[in-house]
Structure formats: structure tokens, C-alpha cells
Amino acid sequence: MAITINARQFTVTPDIRAHVESALAPVIEDQVLKVSSANVVLDYENKQFTASLVVNCKFHVFTAKTTDFDCFKAFDMAYDKVCAQLKTLRDKITSHKGEPLSEAEIKKAAQDLA
């Protein structure tokens, strides 16, 4: 489970690296989503930072790209977009489980008697 941080036109400072790794740590450790990797590309062009975030799950790839004058804000906005996408997937995974077979048999038997 790797976090890759790349920068274009500038160098990644330890503060930026620590901020990105601390933000992505809960996403990487989530057992429901089975995240395999996260790639962050920070670009500096025309006095603006562009943050591109790609999160790879087992059967899904989530991407977000934002632009701002502050590097931290650009990453945070992209992170919020990806978190919204991951929340939707997490809700689908957890809510689409069927009921146990024993409970289904009990309900069917109760309906047959009624």
C-alpha cells in the first residue's frame, strides 16, 4: 500500500509530504475499500498549484484534480473530492449485503403460516 508523491516545477518539502501522508493514512488503512495505492501529483504553473490525486482500489480507480494558489488547499480540495467518491463506494459495499440464510428461512416460514 504505497503513497507516491510527485512534484513538477518545484520540490516537495517535508511539510507537504507529512501533510499528504497524514491525510491519506486513514484511506490506505481502510479494510472495506481495499486500497492498493495512492498517487499525488502536485504541479506549479502560472503561479497556481494543481493537485491531482488518484486512489486505486481493488476494482475501482478514483481521480480528482483541483487548482488553487496554495499547495495545501489544492491538495485538500482534491482529497475531499476523492473522499466523497470513496464514501459512496463504502456505502454501496456495506449496504448491499444480503440477510443471513437462517433469517430468510424464518421470515419465509412465518409468511407461509400467515
Side-chain angles (χ1 to χ4, degrees):
M1 302 203 211
I3 299 173
T4 306
I5 304 169
N6 295 325
R8 296 179 182 157
Q9 310 300 327
F10 73 104
T11 58
V12 177
T13 63
D15 293 336
I16 295 172
R17 184 172 298 280
H19 179 72
V20 169
E21 289 176 352
S22 66
L24 290 176
V27 173
I28 294 292
E29 294 171 0
D30 191 358
Q31 297 298 320
V32 174
L33 299 175
K34 299 178 184 173
V35 175
S36 60
S37 66
N39 300 322
V40 180
V41 178
L42 302 170
D43 188 14
Y44 181 70
E45 187 175 2
N46 296 333
K47 298 181 183 178
Q48 290 186 344
F49 290 94
T50 301
S52 177
L53 177 60
V54 178
V55 177
N56 297 313
C57 294
K58 189 171 182 180
F59 296 109
H60 305 280
V61 177
F62 299 102
T63 60
K65 187 174 183 179
T66 57
T67 302
D68 199 328
F69 290 102
D70 183 20
C71 181
F72 292 98
K73 276 187 179 179
F75 170 74
D76 288 339
M77 289 189 298
Y79 175 74
D80 290 340
K81 287 182 178 183
V82 168
C83 282
Q85 296 172 15
L86 291 172
K87 182 181 181 297
T88 303
L89 177 64
R90 186 181 302 113
D91 291 343
K92 282 184 180 180
I93 291 172
T94 57
S95 68
H96 286 166
K97 292 184 179 178
E99 60 184 335
L101 186 60
S102 60
E103 291 179 16
E105 289 174 352
I106 293 170
K107 285 183 181 179
K108 184 179 179 190
Q111 289 175 355
D112 289 342
L113 291 176

